[in-house]
């Protein structure tokens, strides 16, 4: 959802401009995507997954 076309009921301005506290709160709510995972955590998880897969493959071969 985008706030580009939303009009604030309090100040009658575009929400995207954030003219009043209500606009700013609505804009923050629309654009809040929750906590994101840092790229370093994703990289560590991928490395661990590949290491586990490699260890399992070596165990299967021997």
């Amino acid at each position: 959802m985008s706030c580009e076309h939303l009009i604030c009921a309090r100040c009658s301005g575009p929400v995207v401009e954030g003219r009043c506290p209500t606009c700013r709160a609505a804009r923050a709510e629309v654009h809040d995507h929750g906590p994101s995972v840092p790229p370093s955590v994703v990289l560590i998880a991928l490395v661990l997954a590949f290491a586990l897969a490699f260890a399992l493959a070596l165990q299967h071969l021997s």
Side-chain angles (χ1 to χ4, degrees):
M1 184 170 167
S2 174
C3 64
E4 291 178 12
H5 302 292
L6 297 178
I7 302 297
C8 179
R10 182 172 181 206
C11 70
S12 299
V15 171
V16 73
E17 291 179 7
R19 293 181 185 176
C20 71
T22 305
C23 291
R24 290 188 288 275
R27 184 177 61 190
E29 184 178 326
V30 168
H31 292 288
D32 183 27
H33 299 293
S36 62
V37 179
S40 58
V41 174
V42 174
L43 181 64
I44 290 170
L46 286 173
V47 168
L48 289 175
F50 281 123
L52 179 64
F54 185 70
L56 289 173
L58 283 179
Q59 184 181 13
H60 182 69
L61 291 176
S62 57

